[in-house]
Amino acid sequence: MGTKGERTRSEIIEAAKGLFYRRGFGQTSFSDIVEQTGIRRGNINHYFRTKQDILKAVVEQRAGEYRAILADWDTRHRTPKQRLHRFVQMVAAYRHELTRFGCPIGTLCGELGKEPWESQDAARELFDVFRDWLTAQFEQLGEQKQARARALHLLGRAEGISVIGHVYRDPALVATEVRALNKWIDDL
Amino acid sequence: MGTKGERTRSEIIEAAKGLFYRRGFGQTSFSDIVEQTGIRRGNINHYFRTKQDILKAVVEQRAGEYRAILADWDTRHRTPKQRLHRFVQMVAAYRHELTRFGCPIGTLCGELGKEPWESQDAARELFDVFRDWLTAQFEQLGEQKQARARALHLLGRAEGISVIGHVYRDPALVATEVRALNKWIDDL
């Protein structure tokens, strides 16, 4: 279970993760985190001096979760095509969250890529995790030269689906586009 | 040229439009607009009481610009396929802005679709302008039943290209994906 300090730190990260997703990074204040966790500001500052420090921890947390999911898919699904379909199925499974708040990675990087932050580097790693895993799948499909371009194409398609689904708040639209992506994988 | 009042109003809208794009809506303050225009806060408030009021005017301004561009394309390009290619060419032409700040419509709607604003409705019109025009092109291509779905697919692809291009700050990536989109149109 970890020490009390570790539990407090995790609690702050979990709260911030949800707030950054639902409200955005810029619109989440220390007060929001205090309110959500019931942990005093001074105590939060004991673990994290700035909101950027919390962002770094949230990105690490997410990256760890994603790596664990992808490792699990690697053991569960034998062929690269099955794994690519599993990736697309994730988009479909999250369609209600995606149409409510957008893609957690895409909207975070979009926001951090604006002028006041200039700190997109801090979150790009989350895309790298998926890009590298997808690249490995396309390499196993024999697309050595194009593997990375294919991976970025698929990531872009998933992001585009999230943007349009979010704008029109329409999970059915996500489902339609996911079918098109599955067909694209089948035709590879 | 309009009255002095109209010119001042336009100046505020133009400044806000650029700031909302480069910094985001949430991170743009009245002070930023004062600083950029040299117009005093009290005078800005004479035209716009709240930032939401400025947002509304910026969206109207953008919607008007987009409608004018699309009307121009309608007269310049004879066939629906040529017009679809023209739309895709716009993405390619803006690749440096897109990779620097993301899509102006997509990042705005992404931000406004988060909890603190709940005002995505205010900006969705910008997507509607393109969706409806693209739908008309697909209808002219004889895709009556699927025309809207095709339009949303193409818009989503363009948005996905913007997200990935922005995350990796890579105009060449946009160019590669634009070629794939042109091929998709050719194959319709």
Side-chain angles (χ1 to χ4, degrees):
Chain A
M1 295 294 287
T3 63
K4 185 161 182 298
E6 281 162 7
R7 284 199 304 276
T8 305
R9 191 174 181 278
S10 291
E11 215 181 313
I12 297 164
I13 293 170
E14 271 308 309
K17 189 177 125 189
L19 286 161
F20 291 171
Y21 182 37
R22 295 192 307 273
R23 303 179 61 87
F25 175 71
Q27 297 302 314
T28 297
S29 65
F30 265 91
S31 308
D32 293 327
I33 300 170
V34 168
E35 195 179 312
Q36 174 128 347
T37 58
I39 301 168
R40 278 176 298 114
R41 165 99 193 216
N43 202 11
I44 293 174
N45 280 135
H46 173 72
Y47 297 94
F48 303 103
R49 206 173 48 82
T50 66
K51 213 167 71 169
Q52 287 284 349
D53 293 337
I54 302 181
L55 174 65
K56 213 179 144 195
V58 165
V59 169
E60 269 171 29
Q61 165 87 2
R62 279 199 183 274
E65 283 168 23
Y66 297 152
R67 286 199 181 92
I69 288 169
L70 297 175
D72 179 58
W73 293 353
D74 280 339
T75 62
R76 280 175 196 271
H77 304 285
R78 212 170 38 83
T79 72
K81 276 208 183 184
Q82 285 170 338
R83 292 174 188 158
L84 293 175
H85 280 300
R86 186 64 192 79
F87 171 78
V88 172
Q89 192 191 315
M90 177 187 65
V91 177
Y94 278 99
R95 66 192 178 281
H96 294 287
E97 289 86 346
L98 294 177
T99 51
R100 180 63 194 83
F101 300 111
C103 169
I105 315 182
T107 55
L108 180 64
C109 283
E111 184 183 3
L112 295 176
K114 297 284 186 183
E115 260 179 3
W117 316 115
E118 304 286 2
S119 60
Q120 216 178 13
D121 294 355
R124 189 180 296 122
E125 178 192 352
L126 299 174
F127 271 107
D128 292 345
V129 170
F130 285 104
R131 181 199 60 186
D132 294 346
W133 183 84
L134 290 169
T135 300
Q137 309 314 315
F138 287 109
E139 281 170 352
Q140 286 179 42
L141 274 174
E143 307 230 21
Q144 259 66 25
K145 271 192 188 167
Q146 282 201 43
R148 177 169 285 201
R150 293 280 199 198
L152 290 169
H153 175 82
L154 183 47
L155 264 184
R157 294 276 291 268
E159 285 302 317
I161 292 171
S162 295
V163 172
I164 297 298
H166 186 207
V167 166
Y168 287 107
R169 304 274 165 137
D170 186 355
L173 209 154
V174 174
T176 303
E177 285 292 309
V178 156
R179 277 195 297 278
L181 259 190
N182 276 325
K183 191 178 174 313
W184 179 79
I185 294 168
D186 286 334
D187 291 347
L188 281 172
Chain B
M1 295 292 289
T3 64
K4 184 161 183 299
E6 281 162 8
R7 285 199 302 276
T8 304
R9 192 173 181 279
S10 291
E11 216 181 312
I12 297 164
I13 294 170
E14 271 309 309
K17 190 177 125 189
L19 286 162
F20 291 171
Y21 182 37
R22 295 193 306 274
R23 303 179 58 88
F25 175 70
Q27 297 302 314
T28 297
S29 65
F30 265 90
S31 309
D32 293 327
I33 300 170
V34 168
E35 195 179 313
Q36 175 128 348
T37 58
I39 301 167
R40 278 176 300 112
R41 164 96 193 218
N43 202 11
I44 292 174
N45 280 135
H46 172 72
Y47 298 94
F48 303 102
R49 206 172 48 82
T50 66
K51 213 167 70 168
Q52 287 285 347
D53 293 337
I54 302 181
L55 174 66
K56 214 179 142 194
V58 166
V59 168
E60 269 170 30
Q61 165 86 2
R62 279 200 182 274
E65 283 168 24
Y66 297 151
R67 286 200 182 90
I69 288 169
L70 296 175
D72 180 58
W73 293 354
D74 279 338
T75 62
R76 280 175 196 273
H77 305 284
R78 213 169 39 82
T79 72
K81 277 206 183 186
Q82 286 170 338
R83 291 173 189 159
L84 294 174
H85 281 300
R86 186 64 193 80
F87 171 78
V88 171
Q89 194 191 315
M90 177 187 65
V91 177
Y94 278 99
R95 65 192 178 283
H96 295 286
E97 288 86 345
L98 294 177
T99 51
R100 180 64 194 83
F101 300 112
C103 169
I105 316 180
T107 54
L108 181 64
C109 283
E111 185 183 1
L112 296 175
K114 298 283 185 181
E115 259 179 3
W117 316 116
E118 303 286 3
S119 59
Q120 215 177 13
D121 294 354
R124 191 180 293 122
E125 179 192 352
L126 299 175
F127 271 105
D128 293 344
V129 170
F130 285 103
R131 181 199 59 186
D132 294 346
W133 183 84
L134 290 169
T135 300
Q137 308 314 315
F138 286 109
E139 280 170 352
Q140 286 179 43
L141 274 174
E143 307 231 21
Q144 260 67 27
K145 272 192 184 167
Q146 281 200 46
R148 177 170 285 202
R150 292 280 200 200
L152 290 169
H153 175 82
L154 182 47
L155 264 184
R157 293 277 290 268
E159 285 301 317
I161 292 169
S162 296
V163 171
I164 297 297
H166 186 208
V167 166
Y168 287 107
R169 305 275 168 134
D170 186 355
L173 209 154
V174 174
T176 303
E177 285 292 309
V178 156
R179 278 196 294 280
L181 259 189
N182 277 325
K183 191 178 175 314
W184 180 78
I185 293 168
D186 286 333
D187 292 347
L188 281 171

